């Protein structure tokens, strides 16, 4: 009887501790979200590392994105993607091609427009490790998709404890693929051109680009 009572006590303590950690994690993520959405616009430069032992992949690329509300201008792998709030325009200079399509939002996907806010729904939260990165305290939160059919196993979100800005995202797929996004520069409320999120179709047609509508 004493042994059963001890097991029940340990189980209850573990459950309460996990619940408190989950609430603490959710509170920090709420602070991050409130900070991010308080800015008029955000400019981020990042490094993206992709590793997969199974596929023998180990690559590193860099890019940048400017965000204003749902709109964004995303530069990556020599291409540019623009979202004006209605359509997504993917511009590939190498092929002299522009693809115009409606946005496709998949649950748990980290798209440019959601890269700083995707964590607000669809996940369970867990308080994780605290790391010291060049004098900065980075608190990690572990996110697990609620959807058991998701191809994502887990996401570690590293948050600067002082600024409440996202510093690192580590996504692990169920196939073992690991994607790490590290923020190298985070600027807010920058002066932006009024036409930054406007697609000039005539310009690209004059330059000989092929326009593809999906």
């Amino acid at each position: 009887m004493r042994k059963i009572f001890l097991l029940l006590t340990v189980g209850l303590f573990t459950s309460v501790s996990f619940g408190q950690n989950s609430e603490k994690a959710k509170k920090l993520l709420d602070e991050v979200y409130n900070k991010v959405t308080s800015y008029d616009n955000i400019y981020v430069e990042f490094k993206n590392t992709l590793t997969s032992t199974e596929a023998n992949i180990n690559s590193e690329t860099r890019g940048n994105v400017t965000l204003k509300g749902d709109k964004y201008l995303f530069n990556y792998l020599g291409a540019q993607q623009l979202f004006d709030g209605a359509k997504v325009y993917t511009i590939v200079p190498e092929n002299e091609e522009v693809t115009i399509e409606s946005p496709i939002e998949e649950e748990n996907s980290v798209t440019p427009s959601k890269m700083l806010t995707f964590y607000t729904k669809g996940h369970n939260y867990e308080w994780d490790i605290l790391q010291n990165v060049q004098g900065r305290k980075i608190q990690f939160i572990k996110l697990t998709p609620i959807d058991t059919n998701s191809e994502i196993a887990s996401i570690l979100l590293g948050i600067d404890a002082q600024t409440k800005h996202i510093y690192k995202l580590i996504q692990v797929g169920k196939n073992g693929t690991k994607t790490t996004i590290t923020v190298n520069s985070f600027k807010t409320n920058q002066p932006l051109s009024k036409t930054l999120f406007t697609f000039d179709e005539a310009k690209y047609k004059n330059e000989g680009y092929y326009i593809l509508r999906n």
Side-chain angles (χ1 to χ4, degrees):
M1 179 65 73
R2 182 180 177 183
K3 188 173 182 180
I4 293 174
F5 177 75
L6 180 61
L7 288 171
L8 287 172
T9 303
V10 171
L12 179 61
F13 177 78
T14 302
S15 176
V16 171
S17 177
F18 178 81
Q20 290 175 340
N21 281 338
S22 179
E23 289 177 8
K24 189 163 61 168
K26 177 66 165 58
K27 182 180 177 182
L28 178 57
L29 290 175
D30 284 344
E31 290 177 4
V32 174
Y33 177 78
N34 290 335
K35 192 73 176 286
V36 166
T37 54
S38 71
Y39 299 125
D40 178 67
N41 62 72
I42 299 172
Y43 172 77
V44 176
E45 291 181 3
F46 62 89
K47 177 179 70 176
N48 182 41
T49 305
L50 177 66
T51 58
S52 173
T53 304
E54 184 179 334
N56 194 27
I57 296 174
N58 188 0
S59 65
E60 180 179 301
T61 51
R62 295 176 183 271
N64 63 73
V65 61
T66 302
L67 303 159
K68 183 179 174 64
D70 290 332
K71 299 177 181 180
Y72 64 80
L73 181 63
F74 180 52
N75 294 291
Y76 188 62
L77 294 175
Q80 187 177 79
Q81 192 172 81
L82 168 71
F83 179 51
D84 61 4
K87 296 288 184 179
V88 176
Y89 307 86
T90 303
I91 305 158
V92 186
E94 184 178 358
N95 301 336
E96 293 189 336
E97 182 179 276
V98 177
T99 302
I100 305 174
E101 55 194 341
S102 298
I104 300 174
E105 296 286 343
E106 296 181 3
E107 185 122 19
N108 297 319
S109 64
V110 185
T111 60
S113 62
K114 298 195 303 180
M115 68 181 295
L116 299 176
T117 58
F118 74 94
Y119 48 81
T120 56
K121 60 182 180 179
H123 301 87
N124 291 316
Y125 312 114
E126 186 178 345
W127 196 259
D128 211 274
I129 63 171
L130 176 68
Q131 285 187 344
N132 189 308
V133 180
Q134 298 178 340
R136 298 166 65 188
K137 291 183 178 180
I138 306 298
Q139 177 62 58
F140 282 87
I141 303 296
K142 184 176 182 180
L143 284 70
T144 307
I146 294 173
D147 181 7
T148 56
N149 294 320
S150 172
E151 295 180 0
I152 300 171
S154 65
I155 296 174
L156 276 174
L157 201 60
I159 298 163
D160 187 312
Q162 181 177 359
T163 64
K164 300 300 186 294
H165 292 164
I166 294 173
Y167 166 71
K168 181 172 285 189
L169 180 150
I170 304 171
Q171 178 179 293
V172 179
K174 290 181 178 178
N175 60 358
T177 301
K178 182 179 178 181
T179 304
T180 302
I181 298 174
T182 305
V183 174
N184 295 324
S185 178
F186 191 104
K187 299 178 182 179
T188 61
N189 299 336
Q190 299 295 292
L192 303 179
S193 164
K194 292 182 179 180
T195 60
L196 184 65
F197 304 106
T198 302
F199 177 70
D200 188 346
E201 184 170 342
K203 170 195 168 185
Y204 288 98
K205 281 184 176 180
N206 290 337
E207 292 178 2
Y209 276 64
Y210 177 68
I211 310 294
L212 177 64
R213 299 179 186 273
N214 288 345

